């Protein structure tokens, strides 16, 4: 088993489920992975979600289901890191150790579907609709449950995992094939932090490669292997994701938004925005 990246869930080796509540100024902001799958409800807080090859935003009410050993980070918006802002986050997460479950129920036919869940859960999902409502109700009270009642609700949660349902929106195109070891994980964490901290300005390939202590050529291969995108494509997606938020939540002009997210020309911004969303920034703003 690969080592986790900067993160370990405290648990007994014989524990199938672990419940965790996150409260504070911002979510844990290191790119990390762990051998447990996770179901997370964002109760409070906004920011960027990076999971595998997916880049998007999270906000209150979102529910995400992530498979085991996939690199990810819920990166709170920059406002959450400022002491003068009275902002906070709350998240509720159930971690599932399906490997432990598989060992326990390997020879019990009644539990075969449950024990094989890790084989079905290979990509990440955002859960919406009626399933989101049901899971939210369970997660909001899950911390109060103990013993068999907690296990009962946990099985109920898993019974709602219908990956063919329209309530499960796939975030990754295909399963990630390359899990990161500890060294590569720390390297990617450093790179992602640098990109997110400097996303509003022009970032050269040379300086981001320096963050990974690699040549430009080696970095390009390393980065694309782990994100399925070139460095330029990934940065553009991050910028467009941020622009979508600003267009809906602020009164800034389209040209101001373009500049704020790091584009040098309005024409380049408009073209890139349409490539990623199939809409113009003006049409996107009308969705509000």
């Amino acid at each position: 088993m690969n080592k986790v990246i900067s993160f370990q869930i405290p648990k007994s080796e014989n524990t199938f489920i672990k419940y965790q509540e996150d409260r504070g100024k911002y979510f844990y902001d290191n790119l990390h992975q762990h051998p447990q799958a996770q179901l997370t409800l964002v109760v409070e807080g906004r920011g960027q979600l990076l999971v595998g090859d997916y880049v998007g935003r999270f906000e209150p009410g979102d529910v995400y289901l992530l498979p085991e050993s996939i690199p990810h980070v819920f990166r709170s918006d920059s406002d959450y890191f400022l002491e003068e802002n009275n902002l906070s986050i709350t998240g509720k997460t159930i971690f599932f150790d399906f490997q432990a479950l598989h060992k326990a129920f390997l020879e019990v036919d009644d539990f075969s579907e449950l024990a094989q869940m890790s084989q079905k859960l290979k990509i990440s999902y955002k859960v919406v609709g009626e399933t989101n409502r049901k899971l939210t109700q369970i997660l909001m009270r899950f911390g109060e449950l103990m013993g068999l009642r907690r296990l009962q609700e946990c099985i109920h949660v898993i019974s709602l995992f219908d990956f063919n349902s329209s309530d499960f929106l796939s975030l990754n195109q295909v399963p990630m094939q390359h899990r990161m070891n500890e060294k590569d994980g720390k390297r990617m964490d450093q790179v992602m932090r640098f990109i997110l901290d400097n996303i509003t300005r022009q970032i050269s390939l040379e300086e981001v490669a320096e963050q990974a202590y690699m040549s430009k050529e080696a970095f390009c291969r390393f980065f694309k292997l782990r994100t399925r995108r070139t460095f330029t494509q990934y940065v553009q997606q991050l910028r467009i994701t941020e622009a979508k938020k600003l267009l809906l939540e602020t009164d800034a002009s389209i040209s101001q938004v373009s500049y704020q997210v790091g584009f040098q020309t309005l024409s380049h911004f408009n073209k890139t925005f349409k490539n990623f969303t199939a809409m113009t920034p003006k049409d996107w703003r009308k969705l509000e």
Side-chain angles (χ1 to χ4, degrees):
M1 178 181 295
N2 289 323
K3 294 183 178 179
V4 297
I5 303 169
S6 308
F7 190 73
Q8 179 63 53
I9 299 166
K11 61 179 279 296
S12 162
E13 291 185 358
N14 296 321
T15 301
F16 163 49
I17 52 176
K18 172 72 179 180
Y19 176 71
Q20 176 175 295
E21 290 192 9
D22 295 293
R23 299 178 185 273
K25 290 286 294 180
Y26 49 84
F27 284 105
Y28 181 78
D29 63 338
N30 288 330
L31 185 71
H32 60 283
Q33 69 185 20
H34 40 72
Q36 298 84 11
Q38 76 177 71
L39 179 71
T40 294
L41 166 65
V42 179
V43 180
E44 188 179 12
R46 288 178 168 82
Q48 296 266 19
L49 170 60
L50 312 181
V51 53
D53 58 355
Y54 172 79
V55 174
R57 288 194 58 78
F58 66 85
E59 60 184 28
D62 285 350
V63 173
Y64 296 96
L65 177 61
L66 312 183
E68 59 190 39
S69 300
I70 190 168
H72 61 280
V73 60
F74 288 82
R75 171 80 178 211
S76 300
D77 283 335
S78 57
D79 292 349
Y80 288 82
F81 293 87
L82 302 177
E83 287 297 329
E84 60 268 27
N85 286 342
N86 188 28
L87 296 174
S88 61
I89 62 90
T90 304
K92 297 176 182 288
T93 297
I94 303 175
F95 296 98
F96 304 92
D97 189 341
F98 287 115
Q99 297 303 318
L101 187 70
H102 180 76
K103 294 175 183 177
F105 291 154
L106 186 61
E107 298 181 0
V108 182
D109 292 340
D110 294 337
F111 291 103
S112 61
E113 184 176 356
L114 186 63
Q116 294 171 9
M117 182 56 66
S118 64
Q119 301 302 314
K120 299 179 181 179
L121 180 57
K122 291 298 186 182
I123 61 174
S124 306
Y125 296 91
K126 180 178 180 180
V127 187
V128 299
E130 181 64 13
T131 308
N132 174 294
R133 186 189 67 78
K134 291 178 179 178
L135 291 174
T136 296
Q137 287 183 340
I138 296 172
L139 281 161
M140 289 300 292
R141 66 174 188 271
F142 197 83
E144 305 169 4
L145 306 177
M146 300 296 292
L148 288 177
R149 178 61 175 161
R150 173 174 284 201
L151 180 59
Q152 179 184 13
E153 284 288 39
C154 185
I155 294 175
H156 181 200
V157 165
I158 296 173
S159 73
L160 296 173
F161 293 171
D162 180 1
F163 305 134
N164 295 318
S165 166
S166 59
D167 283 354
F168 284 76
L169 307 179
S170 58
L171 303 184
N172 311 120
Q173 295 181 1
V174 293
M176 299 297 290
Q177 298 298 323
H178 300 277
R179 298 178 182 179
M180 283 188 264
N181 57 32
E182 190 172 22
K183 179 180 178 181
D184 286 349
K186 289 180 178 179
R187 180 175 282 163
M188 278 297 292
D189 181 52
Q190 178 67 20
V191 167
M192 291 303 185
R193 283 172 172 271
F194 181 81
I195 293 173
L196 290 169
D197 289 342
N198 294 277
I199 196 66
T200 59
R201 69 170 180 84
Q202 290 300 299
I203 307 172
S204 69
L205 181 58
E206 289 83 359
E207 59 183 334
V208 76
E210 287 179 3
Q211 297 295 316
Y213 302 101
M214 300 173 111
S215 68
K216 290 190 296 182
E217 295 76 13
F219 172 76
C220 286
R221 291 192 297 270
F222 170 82
F223 192 83
K224 190 169 185 180
L225 183 64
R226 288 156 182 81
T227 65
R228 298 199 185 95
R229 291 174 178 81
T230 66
F231 167 69
T232 299
Q233 290 170 336
Y234 199 86
V235 170
Q236 286 181 341
Q237 185 168 5
L238 281 170
R239 287 176 171 157
I240 295 303
T241 300
E242 186 64 18
K244 288 161 65 178
K245 169 205 170 190
L246 293 174
L247 287 168
L248 292 180
E249 298 181 3
T250 73
D251 294 326
S253 67
I254 292 175
S255 60
Q256 288 173 326
V257 169
S258 170
Y259 177 76
Q260 287 180 40
V261 299
F263 284 89
Q264 297 299 294
T265 67
L266 181 58
S267 60
H268 186 209
F269 171 67
N270 287 332
K271 180 179 179 180
T272 305
F273 192 96
K274 192 166 186 178
N275 286 340
F276 277 97
T277 67
M279 300 177 69
T280 66
K282 183 178 180 180
D283 289 338
W284 178 266
R285 173 162 267 173
K286 291 178 181 177
L287 297 175
E288 185 177 10

